[in-house]
Amino acid sequence: MKLNDILSGQFNAAEWEQKGYQLPQFDIKAVREKTAKAPTWVHFGGGNIFRAFPAAILNDALNTGKYDRGVIVAETFDFEVIDKAYAPYNNLSLCVNLCSDGSIEKKVIASVTEALKADYQFDDWKRLVEIFKAKTLQMISFTITEKGYTYNEADLARGLTPVLAMGKVCALLYERWKAGQLPLTVQSMDNCSHNGDKVKAGILAYAKRWVADSLVPAAFLDYLNDETKVTFPWSMIDKITPRPHQKVKEMLAADGFADNDYIETERHTFTAPFVNAEEVQYLVIEDHYTNGRPPLDLGGALYTTRETVDKVETMKVTTCLNPLHTAMAIYGCMLGYTLISAEMKDDDLRAFIQKIGYIEAMPVVTDPGVLNPYEFIGAVINRRLPNPFMPDAPQRIAMDTSQKLPIRFGETIKKYLARGLDKSNLVLIPLTLAGYARYLKGIDDNGKPFEPSPDPMLAELQAIVAPLQLGRPDQDYSCLKSLFSRKDVFGVDLYEAGLGQQIEGMVRELYAGQGAVRQTLHKYVSAR
C-alpha cells in the first residue's frame, strides 16, 4: 500500500478501505489541473500541523463535492521538507488522528496540488510570482511559528531579495501590486495571540524600509494598508501534532502501508509521509476577506468576527487549556512524570487542573458563543490530555514558563481585581505560582536533581530562590518578595494583588522536605 499508487490508479481501493483508510472522494487530477490554472490559496509552511489540519480540512471540503481547488504549499525555511516529504509522494500524505479511546483514524490527504521552495535560488520562485499575479488568488496563509514573523536589520538591508519569510512574502505581494493592485487576504494560522497583527507587522517592516530606500513606490505601502485590498485577519488554531511516533509507524506497517519512513532533515525537522495528531481540533477565523475565500467551513473551520476570535483565544490561553498545561508541567516535573497522559491518571493532578479551570478561572471567562467554554475544557480534560497516543511531556510544556505565566495566570488575577471578585476563591492558581518557586530549585519531590526546561529568564529567577534550602522550615524566605512582586513574570505584583503572603505560605510548605510537593498538592486540592 503506497500513496503514489492512489494517484496512478494502480491500487485496490477495497483493500485500503477495509483496513480503515479514508480515500479522497474527489478527482485528484481534475482538482490539480484547475488549481494550476486558477489558484486560490497558497500556504507558507509545509510542516506537520499544516498537513494534519489546514490541508486536511480542505480535503474534507473537497470531499463534499462543493469545491474544486486545492492548496499550493510553499516552504520558506527547510527546503528538504519539499524534497523528502512532498516530492517523493506526489504531494500526497496520510493523516493519522489518534483518538483518546485508543482507536485511530487514517485519512489520505490529496488537497495539496503543488509544493514549492520559496526562495530566489530555485525555479519555484518564478512559479510563485506567477501565482501571486493570478486574479483568482484569494488567500495566503501561514503555519511558520511565531518566530517566522521576525525581521532584522540585516535582512531589511538586503533590499528586494530578503532571506527571512516575511521579506519574501512582501516581495511576492509587491509582484501582486504591480499586477494591478489585486486584492488578497494574508491569513496567519499560527498558534499565537492576535496573529494577524504579527504577520502584518513583519510584512510592513519590509515595505516601509523599501519605500524609505526608494526601492518601491509609496503606493505599494498604501496598498498594504488599504483594507479593501489587503487584510490580515486574526485566527485561533488548536491541534497538537507531535513528531511522527514509533507506535504509529508500527501500526501502519502492520496494515501493509509502506510509506512510513522517518525523515529528519539537516535542520532537524522531524517529518514523514504520514503525520500523527490528536483527534480534537479548532480553527476559528476572522471573516475579513477581500477576494473571496476557500470554503474551509465545509471542513469544520468557524468563520466569525475579530472580537469573537479574541474571546476564543482568551478563553483558551487564560482558562481552558494553556493554564492547565502549565500547572501540569510545573508539578509534573517535580513529581517525576515524563508524559502528560500519565499525569492524568494521578488523582491529585487531575483534580488540580479540573478545579483550576472550572472553579477558579471559569468565573472570569467571557463565553465567545461559537465554542462553549465548558465543552472546550471538558474535551481537554476527558479526551485531549489523557490521550495515550500523545507523547507530550511536561518538560516540553515547561519551556519558557516565565514568558507564559503573565498570560496564563496573570490575566485571570487581573480580572478578579478589576471586577471586585472574592480573591479567596483563588487557591490552586496561587499554588501553581508557589510551585514555580519550588520548580526553580531543580530538585524533584524525592530530593533528586532535575534540569529545568530552557527559559530565557531561568538563570536570573533561579538566583532569586538560590538561598532557599529544602527541609529548613525556619529559614528566611524574604527572597520571595523580589520574585512574586515581578510583574514581568506574573503579570501583576502578587503582593499588590493581595496574594503574595498566601503564596509565600504555600512555598514554605513545598520546601518542607522530601514528599512535601505531593503532600502540599494533595492538601490544597482536597480542600477545594
Side-chain angles (χ1 to χ4, degrees):
M1 298 168 62
K2 294 185 176 181
L3 290 168
N4 283 330
D5 293 342
I6 295 172
L7 195 60
S8 68
Q10 303 299 314
F11 76 111
N12 185 338
E15 178 187 6
W16 286 69
E17 291 171 352
Q18 186 271 328
K19 293 181 178 180
Y21 289 75
Q22 300 175 37
L23 297 173
Q25 301 300 303
F26 55 91
D27 187 328
I28 299 172
K29 291 183 179 179
V31 167
R32 291 187 175 194
E33 289 173 2
K34 290 178 180 178
T35 306
K37 293 178 182 178
T40 56
W41 178 15
V42 174
H43 183 88
F44 289 89
N48 295 331
I49 181 64
F50 163 68
R51 291 188 294 161
F53 200 177
I57 62 175
L58 178 61
N59 201 82
D60 290 344
L62 290 167
N63 279 338
T64 68
K66 298 178 180 179
Y67 192 58
D68 60 2
R69 307 296 166 86
V71 57
I72 298 165
V73 67
E75 178 59 39
T76 62
F77 173 71
D78 193 339
F79 305 123
E80 276 189 89
V81 170
I82 301 296
D83 291 333
K84 295 182 177 180
Y86 283 87
Y89 310 100
N90 276 299
N91 304 325
L92 299 175
S93 62
L94 182 71
C95 179
V96 182
N97 284 323
L98 309 170
C99 305
S100 56
D101 63 3
S103 64
I104 62 175
E105 300 172 349
K106 297 166 286 192
K107 183 184 301 183
V108 175
I109 305 301
S111 56
V112 179
T113 61
E114 295 179 66
L116 305 172
K117 300 174 184 177
D119 196 82
Y120 310 96
Q121 63 181 305
F122 303 111
D123 289 340
D124 288 355
W125 185 259
K126 296 177 182 178
R127 173 60 179 150
L128 277 170
V129 170
E130 178 185 4
I131 293 168
F132 267 72
K133 290 182 176 180
K135 292 182 179 180
T136 56
L137 187 63
Q138 298 174 328
M139 175 175 78
I140 62 173
S141 58
F142 304 84
T143 51
I144 57 176
T145 76
E146 188 171 357
K147 294 178 182 177
Y149 301 133
T150 58
Y151 54 92
N152 57 47
E153 176 60 31
D155 207 50
L156 291 172
R158 288 179 59 89
L160 298 179
T161 57
V163 173
L164 299 180
M166 291 296 95
K168 294 176 183 178
V169 172
C170 190
L172 290 167
L173 289 170
Y174 181 49
E175 297 291 344
R176 189 163 182 80
W177 176 81
K178 290 192 295 182
Q181 302 184 38
L182 301 174
L184 189 68
T185 289
V186 182
Q187 177 69 69
S188 173
M189 295 182 181
D190 273 301
N191 184 19
C192 53
S193 182
H194 301 175
N195 48 20
D197 291 349
K198 290 179 170 59
V199 66
K200 183 177 182 179
I203 289 171
L204 289 184
Y206 286 90
K208 291 175 181 177
R209 177 61 176 268
W210 296 348
V211 169
D213 292 346
S214 300
L215 297 174
V216 302
F220 172 56
L221 186 58
D222 295 337
Y223 162 75
L224 294 177
N225 281 311
D226 183 351
E227 289 199 354
T228 68
K229 296 290 187 181
V230 183
T231 55
F232 300 85
W234 295 358
S235 71
M236 190 287 289
I237 188 168
D238 188 17
K239 185 178 179 77
I240 298 173
T241 53
R243 65 179 59 173
H245 197 275
Q246 178 66 27
K247 289 182 180 178
V248 177
K249 175 183 171 72
E250 292 170 356
M251 286 188 290
L252 297 178
D255 285 341
F257 182 77
D259 295 331
N260 54 33
D261 293 333
Y262 287 134
I263 299 167
E264 180 181 357
T265 70
E266 289 186 4
R267 288 196 157 189
H268 303 295
T269 299
F270 296 89
T271 186
F274 67 90
V275 54
N276 44 237
E278 66 171 335
E279 60 182 311
V280 180
Q281 59 187 33
Y282 305 94
L283 180 57
V284 184
I285 304 173
E286 176 190 352
D287 196 359
H288 189 25
Y289 290 76
T290 58
N291 197 33
R293 55 170 167 77
L296 297 184
D297 49 332
L298 293 176
L302 298 174
Y303 288 102
T304 185
T305 64
R306 171 168 289 204
E307 180 184 13
T308 300
V309 172
D310 192 41
K311 289 177 181 177
V312 172
E313 177 77 23
T314 301
M315 177 191 78
K316 184 187 84 163
V317 302
T318 66
T319 302
C320 294
L321 176 61
N322 297 31
L324 314 187
H325 253 161
T326 292
M328 293 188 77
I330 291 171
Y331 277 85
C333 290
M334 293 191 291
L335 293 173
Y337 283 101
T338 57
L339 284 174
I340 290 294
S341 58
E343 284 192 65
M344 290 301 290
K345 296 177 182 178
D346 184 309
D347 290 341
D348 287 333
L349 288 171
R350 185 182 181 94
F352 183 37
I353 64 166
Q354 282 181 314
K355 292 176 179 180
I356 286 176
Y358 285 122
I359 297 176
E360 299 193 10
M362 196 64 79
V364 296
V365 168
T366 299
D367 188 339
V370 294
L371 291 174
N372 182 286
Y374 289 92
E375 292 178 0
F376 191 103
I377 200 171
V380 168
I381 291 171
N382 298 314
R383 297 170 62 195
R384 304 182 70 180
L385 299 182
N387 193 327
F389 280 120
M390 302 307 294
D392 215 351
Q395 290 76 16
R396 184 194 71 81
I397 296 169
M399 292 175 62
D400 303 330
T401 295
S402 69
Q403 313 299 294
K404 299 171 180 176
L405 294 174
I407 298 296
R408 299 186 179 191
F409 298 102
E411 289 303 309
T412 293
I413 295 171
K414 287 179 184 177
K415 289 175 182 176
Y416 265 78
L417 297 174
R419 300 178 189 181
L421 298 178
D422 185 358
K423 294 193 298 295
S424 67
N425 190 49
L426 296 175
V427 176
L428 300 183
I429 287 177
L431 183 65
T432 302
L433 305 182
Y436 187 54
R438 174 65 176 77
Y439 165 89
L440 289 169
K441 289 300 292 185
I443 300 173
D444 70 17
D445 202 28
N446 293 320
K448 297 179 180 179
F450 71 88
E451 184 175 351
S453 300
D455 186 309
M457 300 182 72
L458 181 61
E460 178 185 352
L461 299 179
Q462 283 186 309
I464 294 176
V465 300
L468 300 181
Q469 302 296 320
L470 298 183
R472 295 180 57 185
D474 296 330
Q475 66 186 315
D476 183 3
Y477 284 89
S478 61
C479 62
L480 295 176
K481 182 77 173 181
S482 59
L483 175 64
F484 292 121
S485 61
R486 292 189 57 160
K487 296 180 180 180
D488 59 332
V489 178
F490 300 101
V492 294
D493 180 327
L494 292 165
Y495 294 92
E496 292 179 357
L499 298 171
Q501 296 300 323
Q502 175 190 6
I503 295 173
E504 275 194 25
M506 292 172 165
V507 174
R508 290 173 182 267
E509 295 179 67
L510 291 166
Y511 269 85
Q514 290 188 25
V517 173
R518 169 66 69 180
Q519 182 178 351
T520 306
L521 176 66
H522 181 75
K523 169 188 169 181
Y524 285 101
V525 168
S526 299
R528 292 299 275 150

